[in-house]
């Protein structure tokens, strides 16, 4: 009798080991310090930073692999994010300026180019890249967990806040901090009479042959609308795009979410008179109807369409809701000729019927999984499609809940790249630095520089840094002035500047601070017309293209200052400001146009001579001046001088000024490092007027 019992027990143990989750009760709870909701690019990026800092975290994903959004979208399977592999540079940081798909890591080869060599990669390559990212970094991801409810709970942490996430099996996950990176999944819809006759971007057929010789009306003028139009351009007889706003071209607005050239072939067929076109009008005011079709016929027709194909569905007309019969105060489905705009205006743009109408209005955030205690408010901008967040990406009214990635785009909607991988990979890093200070008392990373090294470091950053370059006007470098030295903090959220000390862990001194920002000019100009660029450095403030701007404050701007900053400015009015002239090559290393004006500005703010000198000049100044220039004090007098030629170096060596068998500058661990990394930026800053 004992043998069958032992066998049964062994079988039960094996089953429990194979399916441990199935044996948790519905009240079981798993706790982590950090819960990351969603294994898209933003969630994985945060996972990397949490793993690197050895935090207790888990990434929860409802699908079977990472980046599942890209298994479906874009529908026509071509990404519009640049994958520029060849830049002529080997500088990894610089190359990220032109790699819009790869996530940040300590692995120099962990880039999308390992999966795709195309400038605009196929969408299927991105989930493969994300899977590779998860595997090679060993990120903690649990798949197949569909979180259906999120609620706040009073925890035992000092802040007294936590979150409970419940999955499809009733299993609870609790966390001290919730990081929401679910992206935008829910299609944006508009309700109007006949909206049930409209097909959605998320479900339309992608075979162009399905649209052969059909007239198509597309609602929307974004990239999804033009992507759809472009895919059927060679098959459809007529394509019209309709939305409230005129089309916005990314190369004019500098916003990558606007229409990209890779999708805009229909603009040619429109302006070159080949049957296609764009029309503006309100979506709330229209109706889609079938002429003379009552509700009963409409219902039957709908069923027939689903089974037989669109060519048998009849023609669709766009009309205005106010023209429909409305005897009971509601729109009637009984439509006659008098209900159509063409009856009243025979020149109405959209008077011809359509075979199908397609909705391409983008996506919105899914608020439904949050109960009242955990639900972030809707954003004021972006038509309320996104959650409202603070300048450091914490949900408004939901402490310890942070929003990452595309869902956090409300902070820079239509003004920067925070809704896209090449932008939010940096905002995610900024959020992680906020977390490190708040929950682990680790201050924002800072580099200590002597004042004489500041110009070289600034030139290096404006010529290499990818974070401020991609998140222009949103992330900036903060330089805390401390007299003879400074502390350099990279990529701080500019709109949170009034909260700088509490978010970074660094305090200001009486010397003030500098803020380095890359930004476009405010002057609206023809992006391809004459006079579109400024080339004279004395008029740098009139630059139109992306260029560095330095703001000097003698004290930290207040929250009121931030709210009342000039329209279009990323920061309040400073005590002094310096624009570096825009450059066609985006290389700010010209000795006359870039370096010298920058040095003069820094000298004005710091009240210090920042000229660089050769060792023999410092030697002369040391003999003839009570107070040699700062460069000589921090360099030459500490045996870090740079000698002009071998004869003078030999003389200095024989005089005992430079010990050892070589120039001491080659063995120094601080200043020569900047010489190497800044390259021409340092030498171009040297003033030869002595």
């Amino acid at each position: 009798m004992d043998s069958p019992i032992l066998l049964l027990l062994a079988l039960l143990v094996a089953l429990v080991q194979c399916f441990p989750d199935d044996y948790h009760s519905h009240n079981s709870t798993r706790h982590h310090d950090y819960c990351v909701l969603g294994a898209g690019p933003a969630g994985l990026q945060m996972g990397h930073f949490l793993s690197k800092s050895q935090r207790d975290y888990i990434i929860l994903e409802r699908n079977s692999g990472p980046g599942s959004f890209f298994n479906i979208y874009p529908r026509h399977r071509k990404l519009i994010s640049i994958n520029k592999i060849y830049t002529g540079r080997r500088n990894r940081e610089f190359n990220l300026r032109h790699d819009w798909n790869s996530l940040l890591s300590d692995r120099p080869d962990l880039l999308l180019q390992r999966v795709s060599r195309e400038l605009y990669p196929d969408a299927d390559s991105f989930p493969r890249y994300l899977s590779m990212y998860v595997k090679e970094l060993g990120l903690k991801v649990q798949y197949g967990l569909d979180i259906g409810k999120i609620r706040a709970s009073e925890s035992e942490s000092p802040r007294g806040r936590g979150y409970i996430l419940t999955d499809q099996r009733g299993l609870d996950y609790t966390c001290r901090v919730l990081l929401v990176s679910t992206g935008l999944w829910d299609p944006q819809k508009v309700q109007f009479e006949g909206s049930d006759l409209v097909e959605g971007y998320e479900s339309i057929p992608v075979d162009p042959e399905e649209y052969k010789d059909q007239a198509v009306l597309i609602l929307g003028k974004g990239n999804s609308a033009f992507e759809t139009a472009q895919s059927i351009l060679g098959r459809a007889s007529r394509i019209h795009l309709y939305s409230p706003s005129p089309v916005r071209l990314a190369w004019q607005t500098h916003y990558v979410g606007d229409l990209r050239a890779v999708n805009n072939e229909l603009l040619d067929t429109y302006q070159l008179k080949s049957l296609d076109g764009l029309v503006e009008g309100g979506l709330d005011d229209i109706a889609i109807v079938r002429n003379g079709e009552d509700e009963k016929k409409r219902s039957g027709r709908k069923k027939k369409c689903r089974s037989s194909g669109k060519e048998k569905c009849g023609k669709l007309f766009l009309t205005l809701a106010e023209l429909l019969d409305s005897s009971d105060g509601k729109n009637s489905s009984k439509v006659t000729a008098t209900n159509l705009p063409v009856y009243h205006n025979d020149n109405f743009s959209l008077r011809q019927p359509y075979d199908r109408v397609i909705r391409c209005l983008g996506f919105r955030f899914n608020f439904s999984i949050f109960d009242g205690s955990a639900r972030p408010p809707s954003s004021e901008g972006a038509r309320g499609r996104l959650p409202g967040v603070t300048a450091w990406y914490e949900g408004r009214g939901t402490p310890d809940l942070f929003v990452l990635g595309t869902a956090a785009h409300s902070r820079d909607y239509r003004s920067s790249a925070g809704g896209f991988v090449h932008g939010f990979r940096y905002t995610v890093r900024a959020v992680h630095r906020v977390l490190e200070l708040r929950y682990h008392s680790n201050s924002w990373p800072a580099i200590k520089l002597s004042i004489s090294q500041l110009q070289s470091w600034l030139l290096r950053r404006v010529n290499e840094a990818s974070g401020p370059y991609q998140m222009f006007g949103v992330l900036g470098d903060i330089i805390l002035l401390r007299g003879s030295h400074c502390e350099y903090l990279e990529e701080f959220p500019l709109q949170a500047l009034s909260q700088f000390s509490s978010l970074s862990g660094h305090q200001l001194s009486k010397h003030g601070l500098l803020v380095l920002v890359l930004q476009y000019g405010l002057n609206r100009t023809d992006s391809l017309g004459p006079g579109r660029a400024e080339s004279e450095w004395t008029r740098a403030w009139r630059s139109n293209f992306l260029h560095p701007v330095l703001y000097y404050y003698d004290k930290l701007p207040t929250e009121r200052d931030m709210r009342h900053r000039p329209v279009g400015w990323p920061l309040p009015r400073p005590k002094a400001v310096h624009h570096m002239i825009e450059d066609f090559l985006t290389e700010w290393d010209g000795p006359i146009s870039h370096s010298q004006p920058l040095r003069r500005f820094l000298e004005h703010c710091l009240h210090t001579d920042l000229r660089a000198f050769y060792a023999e000049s410092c030697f002369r100044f040391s003999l003839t001046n009570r107070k040699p220039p700062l460069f000589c004090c921090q360099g030459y007098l500490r045996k870090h001088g740079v000698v002009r030629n071998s004869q003078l170096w030999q003389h200095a060596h024989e005089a005992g000024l430079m010990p050892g068998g070589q120039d001491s500058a080659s063995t120094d661990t601080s200043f020569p490092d900047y010489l190497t990394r800044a390259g021409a930026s340092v030498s171009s800053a040297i003033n030869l007027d002595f």
Side-chain angles (χ1 to χ4, degrees):
M1 291 294 292
D2 290 343
S3 180
I5 294 176
L6 292 175
L7 183 61
L8 180 60
L9 288 174
L11 181 60
L12 288 173
V13 169
L15 287 172
V16 169
Q17 290 176 343
C18 292
F19 308 102
D21 290 343
D22 293 342
Y23 287 86
H24 281 279
S25 70
H26 288 300
N27 294 323
S28 296
T29 300
R30 294 181 175 182
H31 178 79
H32 298 276
D33 288 341
Y34 297 93
C35 290
V36 182
L37 187 58
L44 299 183
Q45 185 66 85
M46 178 56 78
H48 161 65
F49 292 124
L50 292 173
S51 178
K52 183 178 178 181
S53 55
Q54 298 182 334
R55 304 303 173 202
D56 173 28
Y57 76 97
I58 189 67
I59 303 175
L60 305 175
E61 168 58 44
R62 66 178 178 180
N63 292 297
S64 58
S68 54
F69 178 90
F70 296 93
N71 291 325
I72 305 173
Y73 305 107
R75 293 299 312 283
H76 301 90
R77 313 311 294 145
K78 187 175 186 178
L79 298 177
I80 59 173
S81 47
I82 294 172
N83 181 40
K84 190 174 181 65
I85 298 174
Y86 303 104
T87 65
R89 304 283 190 91
R90 294 185 179 181
N91 185 301
R92 182 188 174 202
E93 180 70 11
F94 173 86
N95 288 341
L96 281 173
R97 289 182 169 189
H98 310 287
D99 177 350
W100 290 13
N101 301 278
S102 300
L103 299 181
L104 305 178
S105 74
D106 296 327
R107 298 277 302 276
D109 63 332
L110 194 49
L111 306 173
L112 183 77
Q113 61 183 254
R114 283 174 54 184
V115 178
S116 174
R117 311 290 288 182
E118 298 296 323
L119 180 64
Y120 295 106
D122 182 85
D124 292 328
S125 64
F126 197 57
R128 294 201 303 273
Y129 166 72
L130 295 180
S131 296
M132 180 177 71
Y133 188 87
V134 170
K135 181 179 180 181
E136 296 193 13
L137 295 181
L139 302 184
K140 301 175 183 178
V141 186
Q142 286 194 0
Y143 299 107
L145 296 179
D146 189 2
I147 300 299
K149 182 179 180 181
I150 299 174
R151 63 190 187 277
S153 173
E154 295 301 320
S155 69
E156 298 179 359
S157 68
R159 295 181 60 85
R161 183 84 170 189
Y163 290 91
I164 302 174
L165 293 69
T166 305
D167 69 9
Q168 73 273 29
R169 299 164 298 175
L171 184 64
D172 287 342
Y173 294 79
T174 65
C175 52
R176 181 185 184 188
V177 181
L178 176 58
L179 302 160
V180 179
S181 56
T182 54
L184 307 180
W185 272 91
D186 291 351
Q188 176 76 8
K189 299 179 181 180
V190 177
Q191 295 300 320
F192 51 79
E193 178 71 14
S195 58
D196 57 323
L197 298 174
V198 176
E199 302 173 76
Y201 171 74
E202 67 278 5
S203 58
I204 57 171
V206 294
D207 182 2
E209 295 299 326
E210 294 273 346
Y211 303 84
K212 188 175 181 179
D213 201 28
Q214 291 185 359
V216 180
L217 174 65
I218 298 176
L219 305 181
K221 293 199 194 90
N223 278 295
S224 62
F226 274 86
E227 166 209 329
T228 301
Q230 185 152 311
S231 71
I232 62 175
L233 206 54
R235 293 295 181 270
S237 61
R238 183 176 74 250
I239 306 173
H240 292 161
L241 276 68
Y242 178 90
S243 75
S245 303
V247 64
R248 291 181 287 252
L249 304 173
W251 53 267
Q252 287 181 326
T253 65
H254 308 301
Y255 174 58
V256 298
D258 285 336
L259 178 60
R260 303 289 303 286
V262 68
N263 284 329
N264 72 6
E265 290 180 10
L266 183 134
L267 295 183
D268 266 12
T269 59
Y270 171 36
Q271 290 297 315
L272 299 179
K273 310 176 296 298
S274 191
L275 300 179
D276 306 317
L278 311 177
V279 180
E280 284 73 52
L283 293 172
D284 296 325
D285 303 326
I286 66 171
I288 303 296
V289 299
R290 297 188 193 279
N291 192 10
E293 185 171 62
D294 60 23
E295 185 63 33
K296 184 175 180 181
K297 289 182 180 178
R298 178 172 164 183
S299 178
R301 175 85 66 177
K302 214 169 156 188
K303 294 179 181 177
K304 187 177 180 181
C305 289
R306 290 171 179 168
S307 61
S308 303
K310 279 287 173 185
E311 67 278 1
K312 298 183 181 180
C313 291
K315 299 294 184 178
L316 299 171
F317 290 83
L318 181 145
T319 185
L320 303 178
E322 63 184 17
L323 297 179
L324 297 180
D325 295 332
S326 184
S327 58
D328 59 354
K330 298 180 180 179
N331 290 332
S332 170
S333 60
K334 181 68 175 177
V335 179
T336 64
T338 59
N339 301 126
L340 300 178
V342 69
Y343 182 86
H344 307 275
N345 177 10
D346 63 359
N347 195 34
F348 180 64
S349 299
L350 304 181
R351 59 184 178 272
Q352 294 294 332
Y354 298 93
D355 293 288
R356 59 206 313 164
V357 180
I358 301 173
R359 165 183 40 77
C360 299
L361 301 175
F363 298 86
R364 62 183 299 113
F365 183 74
N366 180 14
F367 290 93
S368 66
I369 61 175
F370 300 89
D371 77 358
S373 64
R375 187 185 190 276
S378 298
S379 61
E380 296 178 1
R383 301 187 300 278
R385 297 186 299 119
L386 305 172
V389 295
T390 65
W392 51 95
Y393 302 97
E394 189 171 16
R396 294 189 181 277
T398 54
D400 307 318
L401 185 155
F402 292 81
V403 183
L404 310 176
T406 302
H409 193 29
S410 62
R411 288 306 312 180
D412 63 312
Y413 183 66
R414 297 196 48 74
S415 63
S416 196
F420 311 90
V421 174
H422 65 287
F424 64 62
R425 61 190 178 193
Y426 303 103
T427 60
V428 169
R429 179 162 63 185
V431 170
H432 177 256
R433 289 169 173 170
V434 171
L435 300 177
E436 283 294 298
L437 175 66
R438 181 182 295 186
Y439 304 109
H440 309 287
S441 301
N442 293 325
S443 298
W444 199 284
I447 301 168
K448 185 176 180 180
L449 303 171
S450 68
I451 288 299
S452 62
Q453 297 167 345
L454 178 57
Q455 180 180 353
S456 300
W457 195 264
L458 286 170
L459 288 169
R460 170 180 173 259
R461 288 289 292 171
V462 300
N463 284 294
E464 295 180 4
S466 58
Y469 188 90
Q470 303 289 24
M471 287 303 295
F472 53 88
V474 176
L475 297 180
D477 291 356
I478 310 297
I479 302 98
L480 302 178
L481 303 176
R482 308 291 195 198
S484 63
H485 73 279
C486 62
E487 294 179 10
Y488 199 107
L489 287 72
E490 298 177 356
E491 299 167 22
F492 186 84
L494 297 177
Q495 300 310 307
L497 188 59
S498 62
Q499 308 294 323
F500 174 78
S501 296
S502 62
L503 294 175
S504 70
H506 296 269
Q507 302 297 321
L508 266 67
S509 73
K510 63 180 181 180
H511 300 283
L513 73 156
L514 291 165
V515 183
L516 173 63
V517 188
L518 268 72
Q519 62 187 65
Y520 284 94
L522 298 179
N523 302 317
R524 299 302 177 191
T525 184
D526 183 353
S527 301
L528 299 180
R532 61 185 177 270
E534 185 60 64
S535 59
E536 176 55 53
W537 69 267
T538 58
R539 295 194 297 270
W541 59 275
R542 299 182 60 182
S543 296
N544 295 310
F545 200 64
L546 190 68
H547 64 285
V549 183
L550 271 165
Y551 296 77
Y552 169 67
Y553 298 95
D554 56 357
K555 60 182 179 180
L556 194 68
T558 65
E559 184 64 33
R560 184 180 183 278
D561 294 334
M562 296 299 297
R563 288 197 306 269
H564 293 87
R565 66 186 184 276
V567 176
W569 286 41
L571 291 169
R573 290 190 184 278
K575 189 171 183 180
V577 64
H578 173 68
H579 290 254
M580 295 180 68
I581 185 69
E582 59 185 310
D583 187 77
F584 179 71
L585 301 175
T586 61
E587 296 177 358
W588 292 276
D589 57 4
I592 303 301
S593 297
H594 303 124
S595 296
Q596 184 165 284
L598 173 61
R599 175 174 61 80
R600 295 283 174 83
F601 172 75
L602 293 176
E603 289 175 339
H604 168 75
C605 297
L606 304 174
H607 306 289
T608 303
D609 184 352
L610 294 179
R611 288 177 296 172
F613 299 94
Y614 286 113
E616 56 270 24
S617 297
C618 288
F619 178 71
R620 185 177 64 192
F621 285 133
S622 300
L623 295 177
T624 59
N625 292 269
R626 288 187 176 183
K627 187 177 181 181
L630 180 65
F631 183 89
C632 296
C633 293
Q634 295 184 346
Y636 172 76
L637 295 181
R638 295 181 181 179
K639 303 179 181 180
H640 299 162
V642 180
V643 179
R644 189 189 303 181
N645 55 54
S646 58
Q647 290 81 8
L648 290 173
W649 180 88
Q650 183 65 29
H651 172 75
H653 173 63
E654 292 175 353
L657 299 175
M658 302 186 74
Q662 57 181 353
D663 186 348
S664 63
S666 64
T667 58
D668 177 50
T669 59
S670 56
F671 178 64
D673 182 51
Y674 301 107
L675 281 175
T676 302
R677 289 198 266 181
S681 300
V682 174
S683 60
S684 65
I686 297 176
N687 189 302
L688 301 178
D689 297 328
F690 49 78

